Amino acid sequence: MGAQQTQNQSSSAAADQGTRGVVIIGGGQAGLQAAASLRSEGFTGQVTIVAEEPGLPYQRPPLSKDYLKARLTDGSDGADGSAGTSASPLPLRGEAFFAEQDIELRTGTVATSVDRQAKTVTLADGTVLGYDSLVFATGARNRELPTPGIDLPGIHGLRTLADAEQLGAALDTAKNVVVVGAGFIGLEFATAALARGCQVTVLEFAPRPMGRALTPLLGDWFAGAHRDLGIDLRLNEGIASFEAGDDGRVALAVSTTGDRYPADLVVAGVGVQPNDQLAAATGLETANGIVVDARLRTVDPDIYAIGDCAAFPCVHAGGPFRLESVQNATDQARHVAKVILGADETYEDLPWFWSTQGPFRLQMANIVRADDETVVVGDADPAHPKFSVLCFRDGILAAVESVNMPSDHLSARKILAAGLEITREEALSAGFSLRAAYKERTQPAAVV
Amino acid sequence: MPTITYHQPGGDTQVIELEKPDRIMQAALKNSVPGIVGECGGQAMCATCHVYVREEYLDALPEIGDDEEEMLEVTASERDERRSRLGCQIEVGGSGLEAIEVDVPEEQV
Ligand SMILES: Cc1cc2nc3c(=O)[nH]c(=O)nc-3n(C[C@H](O)[C@H](O)[C@H](O)COP(=O)(O)OP(=O)(O)OC[C@H]3O[C@@H](n4cnc5c(N)ncnc54)[C@H](O)[C@@H]3O)c2cc1C
Ligand code: FES
């Protein structure tokens, strides 16, 4: 019924306004999925994606992982023998998809203003697009460091394909790499640089890596594990300035403790800021992201925001939250498509995330809190880790972090999504495993 | 030239010729083969690149890794003990496997 309604609206609007339908601003993970889901949910009106970056929309996660591995000139195997490391970006959808699904993709241009009365979006190239529904999927941009010397050649961020291409090439010759920020991207890059034979120093202002996202226990574990790999991880130490060498390129990173680190390549990974400026200029509320309700709708009932740019009431975080993950981008996109087509459901999907850092595959189910009680299950020896950190609130399992334990991660996701209760006592009992606990809870009762 | 043949549940078939070695998932995304999602970008983390490998190619496949094994337990369409694999873990061309045919499952998410 919802679909029918929207269709009627869009066809009557089309009569007097030319092209109407859904306009999506942003051609990233969230924007693409929203367009795809509108079609798979049966929407037949016009769907337009406005995408700032040129070329086919691509996946970001490989940019700080596979994409940085050494490549042979034919683009095949990496030097480490891993299969199929191809030098080309991984598209979110192939070219034919857009024609087949009748999705208009306008790349290499930005949306510059929105007129909510006229329900139009104006693009940098002068095009004016009418909409019935507008979706902000504008993502985030790297936070800029105010550090003296930050503009020197040789200092990079890592967010886009263009960034990754520059870094991949720089790693061919780099010797001394300094990474500012021990977050996910910083550490993924650090392990990639290490594998390419570089000397790697990581400066982190906080007392532990990935501090905002992990339990202190796992943060401390990673600090040790990365040092064991050979990364010079400096905690409680920020960046003070960069200095140039004779060639005018960055040569030295000076930290807040006054220590000086040689650097011919620097990556700054100190977090991101949501792209919410256009929404703010449109008169929509922003507070660390575009503020939306539990249906992912802004105060304007025809305008939505999803993915990295959206601050939404997160039931799992217990308040307004902004999440930077593929899961959040794609699940919110699927949800917004249904809401646009008339569904009246709140978004409550369980957050999950992964990061690959050298030999460590980190996976998280749900958001951890600093005061969670923890139980470690498995083998946490950094030489061959395979373990999970179980987080309990009021004695009940609430989140799980796993290292090289995808079965724990998946079981945790299912347990948490289904609202099954695992107690701390149970987890402490000998031989406990999440997978077994899940199977036990969901198997039909034995016939007596 | 190495080839990957994708058979769709509805009977459609797409044959992709590879200019250089590539994995089943990656080649599918690059060539707009429907039914393969590859949400995690090939990290064996999402199981949305599940495929059923046709019988005659099973012997030539690399072993199933631990990560792949665990992911195969949670595919959206039912796992086939013999034929189910993750498309992101199988490379075609250059590694002894020059051609493969796979059936794309009904569901991936
Ligand atoms: C290097 C890297 C590695 C990552 N690894 C992981 C990982 O391992 N696991 C994980 O879960 N997540 C990972 N992420 C995070 C994940 O990629 C993001 O959360 C996800 O891409 C968010 O999707 P999005 O669509 O909200 O934003 P984006 O993918 O950033 O897309 C937004 C797009 O909108 C465009 N845009 C902005 N403003 C406008 C405008 N006015 N007009 C037109 N276009 C505009 C931007 O240019 C951008 O291309 C990684 C991110 C990066 C950068
Ligand atoms: S692409 Fe995610 S498991 Fe293969």
Side-chain angles (χ1 to χ4, degrees), chain A residues 134-151:
Chain A
L134 179 64
V135 179
F136 278 92
T138 46
R141 63 189 179 282
N142 287 331
R143 180 174 293 135
E144 282 170 29
L145 276 174
T147 312
I150 189 74
D151 292 328

Side-chain angles (χ1 to χ4, degrees), chain A residues 25-32 50-53 58-65 92 109-112 136-140 142 158-160 184-185 188 275 277-278 306-309 323-329 352-356, chain B residues 40 43:
Chain A
I25 308 180
Q29 194 96 42
L32 259 280
V50 183
E52 176 176 12
E53 294 180 66
Y58 56 87
Q59 306 203 3
R60 294 190 197 283
L63 298 182
S64 51
K65 306 175 183 84
L92 282 157
T109 185
V110 290
T112 50
F136 278 92
T138 46
N142 287 331
L158 177 45
R159 174 87 200 166
T160 62
F184 294 110
I185 306 247
E188 287 176 9
N275 287 325
Q277 315 93 307
L278 176 59
I306 55 173
D308 280 15
C309 71
L323 270 164
E324 297 154 17
S325 73
V326 167
Q327 172 278 324
N328 184 66
W352 58 268
F353 184 80
W354 82 92
S355 172
T356 306
Chain B
C40 75
Q43 312 277 311

